[in-house]
Amino acid sequence: MRVNKKYSCLPAEEKGIHIINIRAIEDIGYDQHESTLLNSLSKNPDADCKYGLYFRDGKRKVDYILVYHYKKSSAGRTLTRRVHHNDSSARSTKQDQPLPGKGVQLEMGESEPHVDYHEDDKRFRREEYEGNLVEAGLELERDEDTKIHGIGFVKIHAPWNVLCREAEFLKLKMPTKKMYQINQTHGLLKKINSVIQKITEPIQPKVAEHKPQTVKRLSYPFSREKQHLFDLSDRDSFFDSKTRSTIVYEILKRTTCTKAKYSMGITSLLANGVYSAAYPLHDGDYEGENVELNDRKLLCEEWASYGVFYKYQPIDLVRKYFGEKIGLYFAWLGVYTQMLIPASIVGIIVFLYGCATVDENIPSMEMCDQRNNITMCPLCDRTCSYWKMSSACATARASHLFDNPATVFFSVFMALWAATFMEHWKRKQMRLNYRWDLTGFEEEEDHPRAEYEAKVLEKSLRKEHKHKETDKEKLTWKDRFPAYLTNFVGIIFMVGLTFAIVFGVIIYRISTAAALAISSTPSGRSSVRVTVTATAVIINLVVIIILDEVYGCIARWLTQIEVPKTDKNFEERLIFKAFLLKFVNAYTPIFYVAFFKGRFVGRPGDYVYIFHSFRMEECAPGGCLMELCIQLSIIMLGKQLIQNNLFEIGIPKMKKFIRYMKLKRRRSLDHEEHMKKKQRYEVDYNLEPFAGLTPEYMEMIIQFGFVTLFVASFPLAPLFALLNNIIEIRLDAKKFVTELRRPVAVRAKDIGIWYNILRGIGKLAVIINAFVISFTSDFIPRLVYLYMYSENGTMHGFVNHTLSSFNVSDFQAGTAPNDPMDLGYEVQICRYKDYREPPWSENKYDISKDFWAVLAARLAFVIVFQNLVMFMSDFVDWIIPDIPKDISQQIHKEKVLMVEVFMREEQGKLQMLETWKDKDKQKGENCNNHSPRLSRSHSGSLSSCHSYPLDV
């Protein structure tokens, strides 16, 4: 059959037939119903390839997907193209010949309008890049006959020889044939472990990977020369899907295309829009009646479901599916959540202790006793009047719930808890490293980022233009100095912006308190402090949530202009900047309440003013600890509920709905396309791309700060963190399994820079809690009064001891209350919270000796508390070994067994050589004993004797 030029002939799969352009058939006049009938009689090819998980032949597994946009011609329906890049055809194709599939596009161009230059440029880059991938050994198949208009997919398959080659380059540890027994506990420990296993059996996930193992395969870095050591009985499953996608991604990063004047890898091609996405495929569907059981479905049932919140995570299966880096994140989150259980229990006990002893607390009882008739000085100028201390009774009683001797014990406990948590995680990490064959793994230097290479190229071109001979260029600190300067100025500006916003909230609190104080109702005046505090905290919360998103974008931009060399450097610098900005944003309002509010107020008659009109706000008579508790609890709970949960649930759902509506609008244009079942790579393309683990870690690190830094003021913080994390684990799991494209598996042996940040927060928590107990709470003034000033050894008279007296005649002009008779009697002496001399003293209103005694006790407590707790934390760190004893024994056992395997192999080789030599010697003797006639007549027989070893 002669094919017209008008038809585009494509290489078909197995049958060797031509696939003719459907548009050409329609032009000839064939009835569309006949083609539909032919299609219905043919076998469904999508079912053979398991709807996109395999190539069209149904044998080669799809390991990776590249996605690109292309413009369809307006002249009619676009040509259906399913083009194969076979390994064999690529090697027979010369450099100057087009790759399979390129001729199709050129033939189309003859009869269709020419696309713009940018589209041509992208197509040429794709052609060269895909050709280079084929030369690297990968097999490609293109598919543009999809339900998504204008989107093409390139399916990539790595054959066995490529997998073996790259596994050797990457030094991947693979299981060998050798199996050995894992050391088991004996005696009492064995009985205890068996009891624990029986008790915890209902909360164990029902997956094979989670069952306790008694034997383990010996692992060794893969080598093609030593393939006989590995169990290759099933080559299809020897390299799992995670490993295959990792290998392909390494090739994609290494392969470049040079048509665009400079080298471009896959990251640069994605950044420039040559490809719109690149991702490995999920294993299959996770819901449906007839869905085959796969790892994704198993994870959805046993991990990514709120119904299994009480179960352990199947960490080994998570690692098998997503890789070590994501597996370590969820393992760390699981350990952190488990460790929050004892902290929550102790926090609840401390809170209940405060509730039980509130009626026995003498200072709060004295404040609530109306018989004391203590008249307090006005809280603001002119509009505020004198008030009774008993009106602050509720605040004083509530303060005791969090400001009692048990909170000091809880602060020490949480400092030791943080140290124990870090040590427990290190041991858990070592167990996972052993189980996942990461012992001895060292991260190699990653490929340079595309942006870095572009900057280096720009620098080298500049030097070439100046006729300078250049060696291999690299970016120095001089090249990055403008970026460093921008980073420094930008971070200082952002920190200053945070301080300015906190200062604005302070002005709001002061002005609102003055405005509400004008209210004539006693109930309104008594609720002024609570109203102002609650509204100000809500404003702080909204600002923190907004600035968190802004600071995340700014931190990324500041890191990008630095142009770090590798992805690891980029990630570490981004984490440092984002953490610094978000830490300042989240904790600045709390630091203000804890350490600055009420410290620089002045005294009646000599107050400190802002802008000469606003008086600095004071702490409540019971201290600022209650207000700190309110601030901490609202910000912590608000961030967890709104930012961590609602945003994580709502925004992905909204994005998914928008994508669905766009696709629905596109599908309505073509009913025939709509009736097809989607391929796996089409479904995954509609998922949200994976954006890294930095946001997940960041929210947990900020939460860890809330739990440890100011825990002395809010003992229930671990409980709320625990409840949040139980939901957070399943929420993140559901997001990874169902909402996100499958990320590329990354090998990692630890959680990286996050561990150092956690240690830093743990050390900082000791210092901050020491200052909170010493300066924010009344714990130290109570101790000083109890042991130095109390007449009967009790706390009776403590409230009166902490209040100073002021003669109302000493008010500055214009600052006295407008209604001095508001309480119904004339006030001559009012009281205020401070340690100052009385008005009848020679040095009236000067700081008294009691102030210096309390200050000395406070500083002494900070020094003693800090050093004692630091020493105890370091002692816990020292006494708990980083590597569990049984794991170190197993690692040593593996090394010994590996040496034995190689020694046996060498002995076997020597024995074979000796056997060959003996046989060669015997053969030579037999040949020498032949008769002369035989030797003369068959001259070639002697040489055949000596050829025996070569044949063997």
Side-chain angles (χ1 to χ4, degrees):
M1 175 182 174
R2 180 176 171 272
V3 181
N4 196 324
K5 289 182 181 180
K6 190 174 182 180
Y7 309 131
S8 298
C9 298
L10 301 177
E13 286 97 338
E14 304 82 27
K15 299 180 181 178
I17 62 171
H18 291 301
I19 302 173
I20 302 176
N21 190 348
I22 304 299
R23 181 170 167 249
I25 296 178
E26 291 175 354
D27 290 342
I28 293 174
Y30 282 5
D31 189 6
Q32 190 174 357
H33 295 288
E34 294 180 14
S35 63
T36 307
L37 179 62
L38 289 171
N39 288 336
S40 64
L41 292 174
S42 62
K43 190 177 180 181
N44 183 10
D46 291 340
D48 293 339
C49 67
K50 292 189 177 180
Y51 294 97
L53 288 173
Y54 289 82
F55 275 23
R56 303 299 297 177
D57 57 13
K59 298 177 181 177
R60 290 173 292 172
K61 187 178 177 65
V62 177
D63 298 319
Y64 219 87
I65 291 290
L66 299 178
V67 187
Y68 60 91
H69 290 270
Y70 67 92
K71 288 188 177 180
K72 289 194 174 185
S73 172
S74 59
R77 289 181 60 185
T78 306
L79 174 67
T80 299
R81 282 176 286 183
R82 294 193 186 273
V83 185
H84 297 266
H85 291 238
N86 291 321
D87 195 16
S88 58
S89 64
R91 289 172 183 167
S92 62
T93 305
K94 294 183 180 179
Q95 186 73 19
D96 55 346
Q97 290 179 335
L99 289 167
K102 295 180 184 177
V104 176
Q105 295 166 344
L106 294 175
E107 287 178 23
M108 286 180 62
E110 294 175 5
S111 59
E112 294 181 354
H114 188 67
V115 295
D116 57 53
Y117 168 76
H118 293 293
E119 289 299 318
D120 280 342
D121 182 53
K122 289 179 182 179
R123 180 162 53 86
F124 291 147
R125 293 187 197 180
R126 284 197 298 267
E127 288 171 356
E128 186 198 358
Y129 184 71
E130 290 167 19
N132 293 339
L133 290 179
V134 173
E135 289 179 3
L138 298 177
E139 298 176 6
L140 312 183
E141 181 180 80
R142 186 182 291 118
D143 183 4
E144 291 181 359
D145 181 24
T146 63
K147 294 184 72 173
I148 308 175
H149 284 273
I151 300 292
F153 296 89
V154 177
K155 295 175 276 188
I156 303 177
H157 169 76
W160 173 255
N161 60 329
V162 174
L163 294 172
C164 293
R165 181 190 71 204
E166 296 298 323
E168 186 172 350
F169 290 166
L170 295 173
K171 301 176 183 176
L172 295 179
K173 272 191 171 184
M174 304 302 294
T176 63
K177 297 176 184 177
K178 175 70 175 176
M179 300 182 73
Y180 68 94
Q181 196 81 16
I182 297 176
N183 292 340
Q184 301 293 321
T185 55
H186 300 284
L188 182 62
L189 284 176
K190 185 177 181 180
K191 292 180 180 179
I192 293 173
N193 288 337
S194 63
V195 171
I196 292 173
Q197 286 179 7
K198 288 179 181 178
I199 294 173
T200 59
E201 188 175 355
I203 60 174
Q204 300 291 345
K206 297 177 182 178
V207 296
E209 287 79 1
H210 199 77
K211 293 179 180 177
Q213 297 178 346
T214 56
V215 293
K216 186 178 184 292
R217 286 189 178 273
L218 195 62
S219 296
Y220 186 73
F222 188 83
S223 172
R224 286 172 289 180
E225 294 180 356
K226 293 182 170 57
Q227 285 194 31
H228 58 278
L229 294 177
F230 302 94
D231 184 12
L232 303 179
S233 55
D234 186 5
R235 289 191 172 188
D236 292 336
S237 62
F238 182 73
F239 295 106
D240 57 15
S241 59
K242 165 184 67 75
T243 308
R244 296 174 73 98
S245 63
T246 303
I247 287 173
V248 173
Y249 182 65
E250 286 295 324
I251 299 175
L252 291 176
K253 286 198 297 184
R254 196 172 62 228
T255 306
T256 58
C257 88
T258 56
K259 274 187 179 177
K261 297 182 182 178
Y262 62 91
S263 176
M264 297 181 73
I266 185 61
T267 52
S268 184
L269 292 172
L270 288 169
N272 291 324
V274 179
Y275 291 103
S276 59
Y279 52 88
L281 291 179
H282 280 292
D283 278 359
D285 291 326
Y286 60 89
E287 57 184 359
E289 295 180 359
N290 300 323
V291 175
E292 293 182 6
L293 187 64
N294 54 64
D295 286 344
R296 188 187 188 194
K297 182 176 175 62
L298 197 59
L299 282 171
C300 189
E301 293 174 353
E302 293 294 328
W303 182 51
S305 172
Y306 294 111
V308 294
F309 73 92
Y310 59 92
K311 289 188 176 183
Y312 285 102
Q313 299 181 86
I315 291 298
D316 291 323
L317 185 59
V318 174
R319 172 254 178 181
K320 178 186 174 185
Y321 194 78
F322 291 110
E324 285 80 6
K325 192 170 186 179
I326 293 176
L328 281 172
Y329 163 70
F330 281 103
W332 173 83
L333 184 55
V335 170
Y336 171 47
T337 305
Q338 287 176 14
M339 290 293 292
L340 282 172
I341 295 174
S344 302
I345 293 171
V346 177
I348 292 171
I349 293 172
V350 169
F351 177 74
L352 292 177
Y353 171 80
C355 294
T357 58
V358 68
D359 292 328
E360 301 172 5
N361 183 39
I362 296 175
S364 62
M365 290 170 61
E366 287 184 349
M367 288 182 64
C368 295
D369 190 359
Q370 296 184 1
R371 292 174 298 178
N372 287 336
N373 197 25
I374 299 176
T375 304
M376 303 296 293
C377 295
L379 295 173
C380 60
D381 293 342
R382 294 189 300 276
T383 56
C384 298
S385 184
Y386 304 106
W387 55 286
K388 293 283 188 179
M389 174 171 272
S390 57
S391 64
C393 175
T395 306
R397 288 174 64 86
S399 295
H400 179 73
L401 301 179
F402 306 100
D403 187 5
N404 55 68
T407 56
V408 180
F409 158 76
F410 191 56
S411 299
V412 176
F413 171 81
M414 288 303 294
L416 298 179
W417 173 88
T420 308
F421 162 60
M422 301 304 295
E423 291 305 308
H424 179 46
W425 166 244
K426 280 197 289 188
R427 290 168 64 84
K428 177 71 172 179
Q429 195 170 253
M430 283 305 302
R431 288 189 182 278
L432 293 176
N433 284 344
Y434 164 72
R435 223 157 66 199
W436 296 348
D437 298 322
L438 292 172
T439 51
F441 166 71
E442 294 294 335
E443 293 185 16
E444 298 178 358
E445 188 174 357
D446 201 357
H447 300 283
R449 297 173 65 247
E451 292 83 354
Y452 180 85
E453 290 182 335
K455 281 284 184 182
V456 169
L457 177 69
E458 184 183 335
K459 181 180 178 182
S460 59
L461 290 175
R462 269 200 315 267
K463 289 197 173 182
E464 286 177 10
H465 184 69
K466 295 178 181 178
H467 306 288
K468 291 183 180 179
E469 293 185 2
T470 58
D471 298 328
K472 189 175 180 180
E473 292 292 338
K474 62 179 182 179
L475 296 184
T476 62
W477 70 269
K478 292 181 180 178
D479 301 316
R480 292 193 173 104
F481 180 74
Y484 290 153
L485 185 61
T486 306
N487 270 262
F488 178 76
V489 173
I491 290 174
I492 294 296
F493 174 77
M494 292 302 143
V495 172
L497 176 64
T498 304
F499 290 163
I501 291 172
V502 172
F503 184 73
V505 175
I506 294 170
I507 299 296
Y508 161 80
R509 293 160 69 112
I510 296 171
S511 58
T512 307
L516 291 176
I518 302 175
S519 172
S520 58
T521 59
S523 60
R525 295 179 188 178
S526 62
S527 61
V528 166
R529 193 180 296 275
V530 176
T531 304
V532 170
T533 301
T535 54
V537 172
I538 291 171
I539 293 171
N540 273 326
L541 174 63
V542 173
V543 170
I544 286 171
I545 290 173
I546 294 172
L547 287 184
D548 256 2
E549 303 301 321
V550 174
Y551 286 169
C553 298
I554 290 174
R556 181 169 290 275
W557 176 73
L558 290 175
T559 310
Q560 285 173 346
I561 64 175
E562 280 188 46
V563 197
K565 184 175 181 180
T566 63
D567 287 330
K568 184 179 179 182
N569 291 340
F570 180 88
E571 186 181 25
E572 288 181 350
R573 295 185 185 195
L574 173 62
I575 288 169
F576 174 75
K577 293 181 184 65
F579 173 74
L580 178 63
L581 292 175
K582 292 189 177 186
F583 182 89
V584 171
N585 181 41
Y587 295 112
T588 300
I590 302 172
F591 269 92
Y592 163 72
V593 174
F595 303 121
F596 297 99
K597 184 179 178 181
R599 309 290 171 195
F600 312 102
V601 177
R603 61 170 179 83
D606 188 21
Y607 282 114
V608 177
Y609 291 90
I610 304 173
F611 306 132
H612 302 288
S613 56
F614 295 106
R615 210 174 88 186
M616 290 293 290
E617 55 183 343
E618 304 176 39
C619 288
C624 278
L625 198 70
M626 185 61 201
E627 191 170 338
L628 176 62
C629 173
I630 295 172
Q631 185 103 4
L632 184 66
S633 59
I634 292 179
I635 291 177
M636 178 182 176
L637 296 177
K639 273 181 66 67
Q640 289 183 351
L641 290 175
I642 298 173
Q643 191 174 20
N644 298 354
N645 293 332
L646 291 182
F647 280 15
E648 286 192 16
I649 297 172
I651 291 178
K653 293 287 184 187
M654 190 182 299
K655 289 181 178 178
K656 191 175 181 180
F657 178 73
I658 293 171
R659 285 196 302 269
Y660 171 75
M661 295 304 294
K662 286 181 179 179
L663 290 173
K664 191 176 180 181
R665 196 177 300 118
R666 288 176 179 174
R667 288 176 195 162
S668 61
L669 301 175
D670 195 336
H671 179 70
E672 188 178 319
E673 295 274 350
H674 178 65
M675 295 305 293
K676 295 179 185 176
K677 182 178 178 180
K678 272 189 175 184
Q679 304 287 331
R680 177 78 262 152
Y681 42 85
E682 294 178 85
V683 177
D684 286 3
Y685 176 71
N686 293 327
L687 298 176
E688 194 72 17
F690 175 63
L693 288 170
T694 300
E696 314 298 336
Y697 272 114
M698 188 66 71
E699 65 182 76
M700 288 295 106
I701 297 296
I702 296 294
Q703 185 205 81
F704 182 78
F706 282 122
V707 169
T708 55
L709 291 179
F710 296 94
V711 75
S713 64
F714 190 38
L716 295 179
L719 174 64
F720 289 112
L722 173 64
L723 297 176
N724 175 79
N725 287 5
I726 290 173
I727 301 171
E728 181 73 21
I729 290 175
R730 306 304 164 179
L731 181 65
D732 284 349
K734 198 170 187 65
K735 183 172 68 174
F736 272 83
V737 174
T738 64
E739 301 286 342
L740 297 180
R741 294 175 191 160
R742 187 174 183 178
V744 180
V746 179
R747 285 189 298 168
K749 62 187 299 185
D750 51 40
I751 59 175
I753 193 174
W754 296 111
Y755 181 80
N756 297 328
I757 292 175
L758 284 169
R759 284 189 68 88
I761 291 176
K763 299 292 183 185
L764 183 63
V766 177
I767 301 171
I768 290 179
N769 280 304
F771 277 94
V772 167
I773 295 169
S774 182
F775 286 89
T776 309
S777 76
D778 281 340
F779 178 73
I780 299 301
R782 286 172 186 167
L783 286 182
V784 172
Y785 176 79
L786 185 64
Y787 292 106
M788 290 182 63
Y789 299 103
S790 177
E791 296 178 358
N792 52 8
T794 64
M795 293 301 296
H796 288 287
F798 169 73
V799 173
N800 187 58
H801 180 259
T802 59
L803 298 177
S804 299
S805 301
F806 177 74
N807 193 329
V808 298
S809 61
D810 294 331
F811 271 123
Q812 290 182 348
T815 62
N818 295 332
D819 186 10
M821 298 294 294
D822 184 58
L823 293 178
Y825 57 88
E826 184 180 358
V827 177
Q828 294 181 349
I829 300 292
C830 66
R831 309 294 296 274
Y832 61 97
K833 190 176 175 64
D834 205 348
Y835 290 101
R836 289 182 180 270
E837 297 290 344
W840 51 83
S841 173
E842 294 181 0
N843 304 315
K844 64 177 183 178
Y845 306 133
D846 285 350
I847 294 174
S848 65
K849 294 179 181 179
D850 298 342
F851 172 83
W852 299 112
V854 172
L855 180 62
R858 281 173 164 165
L859 293 175
F861 177 83
V862 168
I863 294 170
V864 172
F865 182 90
Q866 176 186 331
N867 286 282
L868 177 64
V869 176
M870 287 281 192
F871 170 76
M872 294 170 70
S873 300
D874 292 340
F875 180 74
V876 169
D877 192 355
W878 172 76
I879 202 171
I880 301 176
D882 294 346
I883 305 176
K885 187 177 180 181
D886 59 325
I887 296 299
S888 61
Q889 290 175 351
Q890 298 290 358
I891 293 172
H892 178 70
K893 186 177 181 179
E894 277 197 353
K895 291 179 181 178
V896 172
L897 288 173
M898 189 54 67
V899 170
E900 288 180 2
V901 168
F902 284 115
M903 289 297 292
R904 288 175 186 172
E905 187 180 0
E906 291 296 322
Q907 290 173 0
K909 287 180 181 178
L910 290 173
Q911 289 177 359
M912 288 182 68
L913 287 173
E914 289 176 1
T915 305
W916 287 350
K917 286 179 182 179
D918 292 341
K919 288 184 178 179
D920 188 17
K921 189 175 181 181
Q922 292 175 4
K923 196 72 175 179
E925 290 175 356
N926 292 336
C927 291
N928 290 334
N929 292 334
H930 284 174
S931 61
R933 179 182 58 79
L934 192 63
S935 300
R936 286 193 299 270
S937 60
H938 299 282
S939 58
S941 63
L942 187 62
S943 63
S944 67
C945 291
H946 292 286
S947 68
Y948 173 77
L950 295 177
D951 295 338
V952 173

